[in-house]
């Protein structure tokens, strides 16, 4: 069983800077971490490695410095790492990113793919499901438990809803997106940190994958960000303490007064 | 040569570990004088106890840079946790690595690397402190074993350790004493743990007396050659002083961080005390000493890593300066916290109590001055 885990390097700060020209996030000079949902995805894969001796490979798309989270993943126990990087990929939206990653994952090879639900920088939750669509494989999102039955080629997963869980069985290749609350990711191991230094990372560029160049990068991205801005704190606040029923009426009246409803 | 990632990754890992596993229980460990076995188990799980041990002996194949960072980072939040690792590694794992036979390394290092066996070191006796040559513990040679009688005091990790590097007298001729080092195990018949000390600081660390009554130690447990005991003990302490200097550095850094946060919050005369010049100048004095300590610790660490002959002096200088810095910085931290700093509501009073020991154990500040000036005057 070969498990491919999609991970992303994200800025570890709430002060995200935005490029005024492209309206996309500026990542240089901002401290970076492995996206928390993705770290949970990696942990869930490593648990399957511990249990069934599954092979865990990590894949990230990003600038060259994203190598750091691949090396972090190997220090935690991932077997192999792939860095999908090329200037031609820059400025990709979720459609272009999932197009590239799907093509890269075909090259990497997988039985199942696990990714985080969403990244803390964009919060779109689109890339995972889109990859599954590009690869034409089943997907289950918002997963909090994964178990595999290799003999019957089946994965049994627990999907979280707001008020209930659903147990889903998937046959064959599949993609799951997981939530960061599902587990407590392990620490990097001292031995793993020492060993990763000897391991090479496979770089995948635009020439290594089969993609239509018109579907990737900034120009291949149908999404155009109109404008981005930081929220300003409105000091014009009014504190009213009421029971829920009374409060609902007051809020409705206020919204009507401002012609919002 | 591509970029080296291992130190960045190690730093990230140990900072996260200390923050999540060590900091939350530091106050409780001090208050209850409790050896943090659960933390040691977690440290073992990630491979910390075997950081510097080569892979062929079951270790992680890391180095002194990682180990020193680990001691400092743990000590930033809890001096007790820092010294548990330091005593295990510098005073027991390191001498086995440096002076042990292949058989001794194969017997001890794999289990010490996984944390199954914790290490300790015994030189000090009631009448042999700084005057370490006045040893009363005696080892008598028999056909295939030694019989050891005597006692040791103030032994860090005692009771929780399985492996002890012990110095004993093997011959005495007038005022001339021959000392030899042995590897003793807690399970050897006649080896018992005596009184546990109640201490001012590092209160979760176990500090006890060791009592040896007709303990039979196999010949193959002699560490190094007969008569090399004093030399091995002194070389072991050179390394140990780097660990304690790292502990002192961590304590000072931790207290400085706490203080920087506090002075920005605490308001007097209508503004945060961080805006007062006294606060600013004191912080600057604290910070410069911390950074100078860091450089001295790094120099000593590199000397140990590269087997530099200047290690002894560098380690003494690092320990002298870093431990005095720890006392200075933690005391200033309490002062800047004012009345609150004196209470156990804030961690700085604990840090101040923990800091004092770094000026005393593994050679007092005065011993470090003897080492430093001795080398100067020999020139």
């Amino acid at each position: 069983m070969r498990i491919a885990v999609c991970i992303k390097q994200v800025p570890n700060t709430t002060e995200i800077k935005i490029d005024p020209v492209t309206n996309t996030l500026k990542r240089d000079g901002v401290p970076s971490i492995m996206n928390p949902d993705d770290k949970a995805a990696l942990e869930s894969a490593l648990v399957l490695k511990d249990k069934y001796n599954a092979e865990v490979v990590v894949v990230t798309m990003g600038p060259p410095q994203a190598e750091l989270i691949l090396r972090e993943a190997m220090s935690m126990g991932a077997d192999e790492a792939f860095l999908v990087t090329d200037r031609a990929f820059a400025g990709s939206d979720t459609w272009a990113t999932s197009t590239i990653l799907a093509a890269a994952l075909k090259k990497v090879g997988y039985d199942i793919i696990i990714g985080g639900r969403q990244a803390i920088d964009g919060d779109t939750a689109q890339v995972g499901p889109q990859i599954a669509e590009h690869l034409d494989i089943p997907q289950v999102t918002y997963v909090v438990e994964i178990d595999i039955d290799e003999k019957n080629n089946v994965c049994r997963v627990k999907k979280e809803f707001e008020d209930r869980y659903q147990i889903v069985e998937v046959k064959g290749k599949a993609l799951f997106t997981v939530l960061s609350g599902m587990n407590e990711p392990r620490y990097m191991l001292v031995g793993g940190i020492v060993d990763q230094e000897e391991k090479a990372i496979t770089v995948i560029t635009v020439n290594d994958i089969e993609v239509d160049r018109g579907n990737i990068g900034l120009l291949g991205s149908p999404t155009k960000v109109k404008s981005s801005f930081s929220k300003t704190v409105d000091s014009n606040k009014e504190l009213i303490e009421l029971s829920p029923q009374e409060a609902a009426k007051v809020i409705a009246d206020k919204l009507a007064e401002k012609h919002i409803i | 040569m591509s970029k080296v990632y291992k130190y960045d990754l190690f730093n990230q890992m140990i900072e996260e570990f200390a923050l999540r596993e060590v900091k939350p229980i530091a106050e409780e460990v001090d208050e209850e004088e409790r050896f943090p076995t659960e933390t040691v188990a977690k440290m073992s799980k990630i491979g910390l106890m075997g950081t510097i041990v080569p892979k062929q002996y079951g270790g992680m194949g890391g180095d002194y840079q990682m180990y020193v960072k680990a001691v400092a980072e743990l000590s930033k939040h809890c001096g007790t946790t820092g010294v548990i690792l330091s005593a295990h590694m510098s005073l027991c794992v390191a001498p086995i690595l440096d002076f042990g036979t292949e058989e001794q390394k194969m017997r001890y290092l794999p289990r010490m690397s996984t944390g199954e066996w914790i290490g300790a070191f015994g030189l000090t006796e009631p009448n042999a402190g700084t005057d370490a040559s006045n040893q009363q513990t005696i080892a008598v040679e028999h056909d295939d074993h030694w019989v050891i009688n005597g006692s040791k005091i103030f032994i860090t990790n005692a009771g929780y350790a399985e492996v002890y590097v012990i110095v004993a007298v093997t011959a005495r001729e007038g005022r001339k004493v021959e000392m030899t080092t042995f590897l003793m195990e807690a399970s050897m018949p006649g080896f018992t743990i005596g009184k546990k000390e109640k201490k001012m600081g590092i209160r979760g660390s176990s500090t006890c007396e060791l009592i040896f009554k007709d303990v039979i130690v196999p010949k193959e447990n002699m560490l190094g050659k007969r008569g090399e005991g004093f030399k091995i003990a002194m070389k072991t302490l050179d390394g140990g002083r780097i660990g304690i200097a790292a502990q002192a550095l961590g304590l000072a850094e931790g207290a400085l961080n706490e203080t920087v946060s506090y002075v920005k919050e605490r308001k007097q005369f209508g503004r945060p005390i961080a805006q007062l010049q006294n606060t600013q100048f004191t912080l600057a004095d604290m910070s410069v000493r911390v950074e100078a300590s860091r450089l001295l610790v790094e120099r000593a660490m590199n000397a140990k890593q590269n087997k530099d002959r200047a290690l002894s002096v560098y380690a003494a200088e690092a320990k002298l300066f870093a431990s005095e810095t720890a006392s200075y910085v933690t005391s200033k931290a309490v002062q800047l916290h004012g009345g609150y700093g004196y209470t156990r509501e804030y961690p700085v009073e604990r840090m101040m109590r923990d800091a004092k020991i770094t000026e005393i154990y593994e050679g007092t500040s005065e011993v470090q001055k003897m080492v430093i000036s001795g080398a100067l005057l020999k020139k």
Side-chain angles (χ1 to χ4, degrees), chain A residues 123-181:
Chain A
D123 277 340
T124 69
Q126 293 169 0
V127 173
Q130 288 174 354
I131 290 173
E133 288 304 305
H134 286 304
L135 294 172
D136 199 22
I137 57 173
Q139 58 172 288
V140 186
T141 54
Y142 289 71
V143 167
V144 290
E145 266 176 46
I146 304 175
D147 203 4
I148 51 180
D149 175 356
E150 250 184 299
K151 215 176 77 195
N152 297 309
N153 193 23
V154 162
C155 286
R156 195 171 295 109
V157 302
K158 187 169 163 185
K159 177 179 167 73
E160 187 180 85
F161 287 85
E162 271 184 15
D163 56 346
R164 64 191 187 283
Y165 293 106
Q166 201 174 51
I167 308 290
V168 185
E169 269 192 3
V170 192
K171 208 169 167 68
K173 295 191 173 197
L175 178 142
F176 308 116
T177 71
V178 305
L179 307 180
S180 61

Coordinates of all heavy atoms in Angstrom, one line a residue, chain A residues 123-181:
Chain A
D123 N -7.9 28.8 2.9 CA -9.1 28.3 3.5 C -10.1 27.9 2.4 O -11.4 28.0 2.6 CB -9.8 29.3 4.4 CG -9.2 29.3 5.8 OD1 -8.7 28.2 6.2 OD2 -9.4 30.3 6.5
T124 N -9.7 27.5 1.2 CA -10.6 27.2 0.2 C -11.2 25.8 0.3 O -12.4 25.5 -0.1 CB -10.0 27.3 -1.2 OG1 -9.1 26.2 -1.4 CG2 -9.4 28.6 -1.4
A125 N -10.4 24.8 0.7 CA -10.8 23.4 0.8 C -11.2 22.8 -0.6 O -12.0 21.9 -0.7 CB -12.0 23.2 1.8
Q126 N -10.6 23.4 -1.6 CA -10.9 23.0 -3.0 C -9.9 22.0 -3.6 O -10.3 21.2 -4.4 CB -11.1 24.2 -3.9 CG -12.3 25.1 -3.5 CD -12.2 26.4 -4.2 OE1 -11.3 26.7 -5.0 NE2 -13.2 27.2 -3.9
V127 N -8.6 22.2 -3.2 CA -7.6 21.4 -4.0 C -7.8 19.9 -3.8 O -7.7 19.2 -4.8 CB -6.2 21.9 -3.5 CG1 -5.1 21.0 -4.2 CG2 -6.0 23.4 -3.9
G128 N -8.0 19.4 -2.6 CA -8.2 18.0 -2.4 C -9.3 17.4 -3.3 O -9.0 16.6 -4.2
P129 N -10.5 17.9 -3.2 CA -11.6 17.4 -4.0 C -11.3 17.5 -5.5 O -11.6 16.6 -6.3 CB -12.8 18.3 -3.6 CG -12.5 18.6 -2.2 CD -11.0 18.8 -2.1
Q130 N -10.7 18.6 -5.9 CA -10.4 18.8 -7.4 C -9.4 17.8 -7.9 O -9.5 17.3 -9.0 CB -9.8 20.2 -7.6 CG -10.9 21.3 -7.5 CD -10.3 22.7 -7.6 OE1 -9.1 22.9 -7.7 NE2 -11.2 23.7 -7.6
I131 N -8.4 17.5 -7.0 CA -7.4 16.4 -7.4 C -8.1 15.1 -7.7 O -7.9 14.5 -8.7 CB -6.3 16.2 -6.3 CG1 -5.4 17.4 -6.2 CG2 -5.5 15.0 -6.6 CD1 -4.4 17.4 -5.0
A132 N -9.0 14.8 -6.8 CA -9.8 13.5 -7.0 C -10.6 13.5 -8.3 O -10.6 12.5 -9.0 CB -10.7 13.3 -5.8
E133 N -11.2 14.7 -8.6 CA -11.9 14.8 -9.9 C -11.0 14.7 -11.1 O -11.3 13.9 -12.0 CB -12.6 16.1 -9.9 CG -13.8 16.2 -9.0 CD -14.9 15.1 -9.3 OE1 -15.3 14.9 -10.4 OE2 -15.2 14.4 -8.3
H134 N -9.8 15.3 -11.0 CA -8.9 15.2 -12.1 C -8.4 13.8 -12.3 O -8.2 13.3 -13.4 CB -7.6 16.1 -11.9 CG -7.8 17.6 -12.0 ND1 -8.3 18.1 -13.2 CD2 -7.6 18.6 -11.2 CE1 -8.4 19.4 -13.0 NE2 -8.0 19.7 -11.8
L135 N -8.2 13.1 -11.2 CA -7.8 11.7 -11.3 C -8.9 10.7 -11.5 O -8.6 9.5 -11.7 CB -7.0 11.3 -10.0 CG -5.7 12.1 -9.8 CD1 -5.1 11.8 -8.4 CD2 -4.6 11.7 -10.9
D136 N -10.1 11.2 -11.4 CA -11.3 10.4 -11.6 C -11.3 9.2 -10.6 O -11.5 8.1 -10.9 CB -11.4 9.8 -13.0 CG -12.8 9.4 -13.4 OD1 -13.7 9.9 -12.7 OD2 -12.9 8.5 -14.3
I137 N -11.1 9.6 -9.3 CA -11.2 8.6 -8.2 C -12.2 9.1 -7.2 O -12.4 10.3 -7.1 CB -9.8 8.3 -7.5 CG1 -9.2 9.6 -7.0 CG2 -8.8 7.6 -8.5 CD1 -7.9 9.4 -6.2
P138 N -12.7 8.1 -6.4 CA -13.7 8.6 -5.3 C -13.0 9.4 -4.3 O -11.8 9.3 -4.0 CB -14.2 7.2 -4.7 CG -13.5 6.2 -5.5 CD -12.5 6.7 -6.4
Q139 N -13.8 10.3 -3.6 CA -13.2 11.1 -2.6 C -14.2 11.1 -1.4 O -15.4 11.0 -1.5 CB -13.0 12.5 -3.1 CG -14.3 13.2 -3.6 CD -14.1 14.6 -3.9 OE1 -14.0 15.4 -3.0 NE2 -14.1 15.0 -5.1
V140 N -13.6 11.2 -0.2 CA -14.4 11.4 1.0 C -13.7 12.6 1.8 O -12.5 12.6 2.0 CB -14.4 10.2 2.0 CG1 -15.4 10.4 3.1 CG2 -14.8 9.0 1.2
T141 N -14.5 13.6 2.1 CA -13.9 14.8 2.7 C -14.3 14.8 4.2 O -15.1 14.0 4.6 CB -14.4 16.1 2.1 OG1 -15.9 16.0 2.1 CG2 -13.9 16.2 0.6
Y142 N -13.6 15.7 5.0 CA -13.9 15.8 6.4 C -13.7 14.5 7.2 O -14.6 14.1 8.0 CB -15.3 16.4 6.6 CG -15.3 17.9 6.3 CD1 -15.3 18.3 4.9 CD2 -15.4 18.9 7.2 CE1 -15.3 19.6 4.5 CE2 -15.4 20.2 6.9 CZ -15.3 20.6 5.5 OH -15.3 21.9 5.2
V143 N -12.7 13.8 6.9 CA -12.5 12.4 7.5 C -11.7 12.6 8.8 O -10.8 13.4 8.9 CB -11.7 11.6 6.5 CG1 -11.1 10.3 7.2 CG2 -12.5 11.2 5.3
V144 N -12.2 11.8 9.8 CA -11.5 11.9 11.1 C -10.9 10.5 11.5 O -10.2 10.4 12.5 CB -12.4 12.4 12.2 CG1 -12.7 13.9 12.0 CG2 -13.7 11.6 12.3
E145 N -11.2 9.5 10.8 CA -10.6 8.2 11.0 C -10.4 7.4 9.7 O -11.3 7.4 8.9 CB -11.5 7.3 11.9 CG -11.2 7.4 13.4 CD -12.2 6.6 14.3 OE1 -12.5 5.5 13.9 OE2 -12.7 7.2 15.2
I146 N -9.3 6.8 9.6 CA -9.0 6.0 8.3 C -8.5 4.6 8.8 O -7.6 4.5 9.6 CB -8.0 6.6 7.4 CG1 -8.3 8.1 7.1 CG2 -7.7 5.8 6.2 CD1 -7.3 8.8 6.3
D147 N -9.1 3.6 8.2 CA -8.5 2.2 8.4 C -8.5 1.5 7.1 O -9.4 1.8 6.2 CB -9.3 1.4 9.5 CG -8.5 0.3 10.1 OD1 -7.2 0.3 9.7 OD2 -9.0 -0.5 10.9
I148 N -7.6 0.7 6.9 CA -7.5 0.0 5.6 C -7.6 -1.5 5.8 O -7.2 -2.1 6.8 CB -6.2 0.3 4.8 CG1 -5.0 0.1 5.6 CG2 -6.3 1.7 4.2 CD1 -3.7 0.5 4.9
D149 N -8.3 -2.2 4.8 CA -8.4 -3.6 4.7 C -7.8 -4.0 3.4 O -8.4 -4.1 2.4 CB -9.9 -4.0 4.8 CG -10.2 -5.5 4.6 OD1 -9.2 -6.2 4.4 OD2 -11.3 -5.9 4.7
E150 N -6.4 -4.3 3.5 CA -5.7 -4.5 2.3 C -6.1 -5.7 1.5 O -6.1 -5.8 0.3 CB -4.2 -4.6 2.6 CG -3.4 -3.4 2.1 CD -1.9 -3.5 2.3 OE1 -1.5 -3.6 3.5 OE2 -1.2 -3.5 1.3
K151 N -6.6 -6.8 2.3 CA -7.0 -8.0 1.6 C -8.1 -7.8 0.7 O -8.2 -8.3 -0.4 CB -7.4 -9.0 2.7 CG -7.0 -10.5 2.3 CD -7.3 -11.5 3.4 CE -8.8 -11.8 3.5 NZ -9.2 -12.5 4.7
N152 N -9.1 -7.0 1.1 CA -10.3 -6.7 0.3 C -10.2 -5.4 -0.5 O -11.1 -5.0 -1.2 CB -11.5 -6.7 1.1 CG -11.8 -8.0 1.8 OD1 -11.8 -9.0 1.1 ND2 -11.9 -8.0 3.1
N153 N -9.0 -4.8 -0.4 CA -8.7 -3.5 -1.2 C -9.8 -2.4 -0.8 O -10.3 -1.7 -1.7 CB -8.7 -3.8 -2.7 CG -8.2 -2.7 -3.5 OD1 -7.4 -1.8 -3.0 ND2 -8.5 -2.6 -4.8
V154 N -10.0 -2.3 0.5 CA -11.1 -1.4 0.9 C -10.6 -0.5 2.0 O -9.8 -0.9 2.8 CB -12.3 -2.2 1.5 CG1 -13.2 -1.3 2.3 CG2 -13.1 -2.9 0.3
C155 N -11.0 0.8 1.9 CA -10.7 1.7 3.0 C -12.0 2.0 3.7 O -13.0 2.2 3.1 CB -10.1 3.0 2.5 SG -8.5 2.9 1.9
R156 N -11.9 2.0 5.1 CA -13.1 2.3 5.9 C -12.8 3.6 6.6 O -11.8 3.7 7.4 CB -13.4 1.2 6.8 CG -14.8 1.2 7.5 CD -15.1 0.0 8.3 NE -15.1 -1.2 7.4 CZ -14.2 -2.2 7.3 NH1 -13.2 -2.1 8.1 NH2 -14.3 -3.2 6.5
V157 N -13.6 4.7 6.3 CA -13.3 6.0 6.9 C -14.5 6.5 7.6 O -15.7 6.2 7.3 CB -12.8 7.0 5.8 CG1 -11.6 6.5 5.1 CG2 -13.9 7.3 4.8
K158 N -14.2 7.4 8.6 CA -15.3 8.0 9.3 C -15.3 9.5 9.0 O -14.3 10.2 9.1 CB -15.0 7.9 10.8 CG -16.0 8.3 11.8 CD -15.7 7.9 13.2 CE -16.4 8.5 14.3 NZ -15.9 8.1 15.6
K159 N -16.4 9.9 8.4 CA -16.6 11.3 7.9 C -17.4 12.1 8.9 O -18.4 11.7 9.4 CB -17.3 11.3 6.6 CG -17.6 12.6 5.9 CD -18.3 12.3 4.6 CE -19.0 13.6 4.0 NZ -18.0 14.6 3.5
E160 N -16.9 13.3 9.3 CA -17.6 14.1 10.3 C -18.5 15.1 9.7 O -18.2 15.8 8.7 CB -16.5 14.9 11.1 CG -17.1 15.6 12.3 CD -16.0 16.3 13.1 OE1 -15.7 17.5 12.7 OE2 -15.5 15.7 14.1
F161 N -19.7 15.1 10.3 CA -20.7 16.2 10.0 C -20.8 17.0 11.2 O -20.3 16.7 12.3 CB -22.0 15.6 9.6 CG -22.0 14.9 8.2 CD1 -21.6 13.6 8.1 CD2 -22.5 15.6 7.1 CE1 -21.6 13.0 6.8 CE2 -22.5 15.0 5.9 CZ -22.0 13.7 5.7
E162 N -21.6 18.1 11.1 CA -21.8 19.0 12.3 C -22.5 18.2 13.4 O -22.2 18.4 14.6 CB -22.6 20.2 11.9 CG -21.8 21.3 11.4 CD -22.5 22.6 11.1 OE1 -23.7 22.7 11.5 OE2 -22.0 23.4 10.4
D163 N -23.4 17.3 13.1 CA -24.2 16.7 14.1 C -24.1 15.1 14.1 O -24.7 14.5 14.9 CB -25.7 17.0 13.9 CG -26.2 16.7 12.5 OD1 -25.4 16.4 11.7 OD2 -27.4 16.7 12.4
R164 N -23.3 14.6 13.2 CA -23.2 13.1 13.2 C -22.0 12.7 12.4 O -21.2 13.5 11.9 CB -24.4 12.5 12.4 CG -24.5 13.0 11.0 CD -25.9 12.6 10.4 NE -25.9 12.9 8.9 CZ -26.0 14.1 8.4 NH1 -26.1 15.2 9.1 NH2 -26.0 14.2 7.1
Y165 N -21.7 11.3 12.5 CA -20.6 10.8 11.7 C -21.2 9.8 10.6 O -22.3 9.3 10.8 CB -19.7 9.9 12.6 CG -18.9 10.8 13.6 CD1 -19.3 10.8 14.9 CD2 -17.9 11.6 13.2 CE1 -18.6 11.5 15.8 CE2 -17.1 12.3 14.1 CZ -17.5 12.3 15.4 OH -16.8 13.0 16.3
Q166 N -20.5 9.6 9.6 CA -20.9 8.6 8.6 C -19.7 7.7 8.4 O -18.5 8.2 8.3 CB -21.2 9.4 7.3 CG -22.0 8.7 6.3 CD -22.3 9.6 5.1 OE1 -21.4 10.2 4.5 NE2 -23.6 9.8 4.8
I167 N -19.9 6.4 8.4 CA -18.9 5.5 8.1 C -19.0 5.1 6.6 O -20.0 4.7 6.1 CB -19.0 4.2 8.9 CG1 -19.1 4.5 10.4 CG2 -17.9 3.2 8.6 CD1 -17.9 5.0 11.0
V168 N -17.9 5.3 5.8 CA -17.9 5.1 4.4 C -16.9 4.1 4.0 O -15.7 4.1 4.5 CB -17.6 6.4 3.6 CG1 -17.7 6.2 2.1 CG2 -18.5 7.6 4.1
E169 N -17.3 3.1 3.2 CA -16.3 2.2 2.7 C -16.0 2.5 1.2 O -16.9 2.7 0.5 CB -16.9 0.7 2.8 CG -16.5 0.1 4.1 CD -16.8 -1.4 4.1 OE1 -17.3 -2.0 3.0 OE2 -16.7 -2.0 5.1
V170 N -14.7 2.5 0.9 CA -14.3 2.9 -0.5 C -13.5 1.8 -1.0 O -12.5 1.3 -0.4 CB -13.5 4.2 -0.5 CG1 -13.4 4.7 -1.9 CG2 -14.2 5.3 0.3
K171 N -13.8 1.3 -2.2 CA -13.0 0.2 -2.8 C -12.0 0.9 -3.8 O -12.3 1.8 -4.5 CB -13.9 -0.7 -3.6 CG -13.4 -2.1 -3.7 CD -14.4 -3.1 -4.2 CE -13.8 -4.4 -4.5 NZ -13.3 -5.2 -3.4
G172 N -10.8 0.4 -3.8 CA -9.8 0.8 -4.8 C -9.2 2.1 -4.4 O -9.2 2.6 -3.3
K173 N -8.6 2.8 -5.4 CA -7.9 4.1 -5.2 C -8.9 5.1 -4.8 O -10.1 5.2 -5.2 CB -7.3 4.5 -6.5 CG -6.2 3.6 -6.9 CD -5.3 4.1 -8.1 CE -4.1 3.2 -8.3 NZ -3.1 3.8 -9.0
A174 N -8.5 6.0 -3.8 CA -9.4 7.0 -3.3 C -8.6 8.2 -2.7 O -7.4 8.0 -2.5 CB -10.3 6.4 -2.3
L175 N -9.3 9.3 -2.6 CA -8.7 10.5 -1.9 C -9.5 10.9 -0.7 O -10.7 10.9 -0.8 CB -8.6 11.6 -2.9 CG -8.0 12.9 -2.4 CD1 -7.1 13.6 -3.4 CD2 -9.0 13.9 -1.8
F176 N -8.8 11.2 0.4 CA -9.5 11.6 1.6 C -8.9 12.9 2.0 O -7.7 13.2 2.0 CB -9.3 10.6 2.7 CG -9.6 9.2 2.4 CD1 -8.6 8.2 2.3 CD2 -10.9 8.8 2.0 CE1 -9.0 6.9 1.9 CE2 -11.2 7.5 1.6 CZ -10.3 6.6 1.6
T177 N -9.8 13.8 2.5 CA -9.3 15.0 3.1 C -9.7 14.9 4.6 O -10.7 14.5 5.0 CB -9.8 16.3 2.5 OG1 -11.2 16.5 2.9 CG2 -9.6 16.4 1.0
V178 N -8.7 15.3 5.5 CA -8.9 15.1 6.9 C -8.8 16.4 7.7 O -8.4 17.4 7.2 CB -7.8 14.1 7.5 CG1 -7.8 12.8 6.7 CG2 -6.4 14.8 7.4
L179 N -9.3 16.3 9.0 CA -9.4 17.5 9.8 C -8.3 17.4 10.9 O -7.9 16.3 11.4 CB -10.7 17.5 10.6 CG -12.0 17.5 9.6 CD1 -13.2 17.5 10.5 CD2 -11.9 18.6 8.7
S180 N -7.7 18.6 11.3 CA -6.6 18.6 12.2 C -6.9 18.1 13.6 O -6.0 17.7 14.3 CB -6.0 20.0 12.3 OG -6.9 20.9 12.8
G181 N -8.2 18.0 14.0 CA -8.5 17.5 15.3 C -8.5 16.0 15.4 O -8.6 15.5 16.5

